[in-house]
């Protein structure tokens, strides 16, 4: 019975998390950056505190930098999301253009390049342009996909739990154990 309760709670939590990610993906992006900020801040503070408690010779510049970066990420997460998305968009644009130029050169040398390679390169280029035009919308897409996946998981798991419970209450089992003993 405890396992049944845990499974229901787990499925409901996945369902709620999925709904929240789909409804507020921009908040998920921001909270992810804040979490990364905390992960930079904690070891930085630890390094600084360790320096002062041990009276070490060399000031921990890396720890100070880590702590400051962590504070900056926590205080200004939107700034970092936009920068990251612009960098990603630029990389995709350059990658798409580079691939197109490479395939055009290959076609001149080899005579033929399958069309799908051009299509993929153009899609990379378009994805990069789309990210550069609207970086915050592009940052939300992975969280929406994660949210939809979590909703599907939660619903299918609840369905499985309810279906299993109904079979168990009806006395139906999927596997029947038969005890065969040989008489010797």
């Amino acid at each position: 019975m405890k396992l049944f309760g845990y499974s229901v709670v787990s499925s409901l939590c996945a369902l709620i998390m999925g709904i929240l990610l789909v409804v507020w993906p921009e908040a998920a992006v921001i909270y992810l950056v804040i979490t990364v900020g905390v992960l930079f801040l904690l070891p930085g503070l630890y390094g600084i505190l360790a320096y002062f408690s041990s009276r070490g010779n060399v000031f921990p510049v890396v720890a100070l930098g880590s702590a400051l970066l962590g504070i900056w990420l926590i205080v200004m997460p939107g700034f970092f999301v936009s920068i990251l998305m612009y960098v990603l968009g630029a990389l995709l644009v350059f990658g798409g253009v580079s691939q197109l130029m490479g395939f055009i050169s290959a076609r001149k040398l080899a005579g033929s390049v399958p069309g799908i390679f051009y299509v993929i390169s153009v899609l990379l280029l378009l994805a990069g342009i789309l990210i550069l035009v609207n970086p915050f919308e592009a940052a939300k897409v992975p969280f929406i996909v994660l949210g939809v996946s979590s909703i599907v998981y939660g619903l299918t798991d609840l369905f499985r739990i309810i279906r299993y419970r109904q079979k168990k209450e009806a006395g139906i089992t999927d596997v029947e154990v038969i005890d065969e003993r040989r008489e010797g």
Side-chain angles (χ1 to χ4, degrees):
M1 187 65 170
K2 289 181 185 178
L3 181 61
F4 178 77
Y6 171 78
S7 296
V8 169
V9 169
S10 175
S11 299
L12 288 175
C13 287
L15 185 61
I16 292 168
M17 181 185 69
I19 291 169
L20 291 175
L21 285 172
V22 169
V23 174
W24 292 299
E26 63 279 347
V29 172
I30 297 299
Y31 285 121
L32 178 65
V33 172
I34 290 171
T35 302
V36 170
V38 169
L39 294 174
F40 272 101
L41 178 63
L42 292 176
L45 289 177
Y46 178 79
I48 293 168
L49 292 174
Y51 166 77
F52 285 117
S53 68
S54 69
R55 308 265 191 236
N57 294 345
V58 180
F59 185 77
V61 177
V62 174
L64 178 64
S66 178
L68 291 175
L69 178 61
I71 291 169
W72 194 9
L73 286 166
I74 292 168
V75 173
M76 299 177 64
F79 173 74
F80 286 94
V81 171
S82 63
I83 285 178
L84 177 66
M85 295 312 293
Y86 283 120
V87 169
L88 177 61
L91 288 173
L92 287 173
V93 167
F94 291 135
V97 169
S98 173
Q99 279 189 352
L100 281 173
M101 291 172 35
F103 290 136
I104 290 169
S105 296
R107 185 184 70 201
K108 289 178 183 175
L109 294 173
S112 168
V113 173
I116 189 69
F117 292 118
Y118 293 106
V119 171
I120 292 171
S121 299
V122 169
L123 289 175
L124 285 172
L125 177 64
L126 291 175
I129 291 170
L130 179 65
I131 289 171
L132 289 173
V133 170
N134 202 347
F136 282 104
E137 289 299 315
K140 292 188 303 188
V141 171
F143 290 100
I144 293 172
V145 170
L146 179 62
V148 169
S149 301
S150 187
I151 290 170
V152 169
Y153 166 77
L155 289 175
T156 55
D157 206 39
L158 281 173
F159 175 77
R160 178 194 57 82
I161 291 166
I162 292 168
R163 177 105 172 155
Y164 173 73
R165 175 104 176 171
Q166 287 173 346
K167 281 185 171 186
K168 189 174 182 181
E169 288 174 357
I172 302 171
T173 58
D174 291 335
V175 179
E176 184 178 327
V177 178
I178 301 173
D179 186 17
E180 293 184 21
R181 296 183 187 192
R182 291 188 178 187
E183 295 187 25

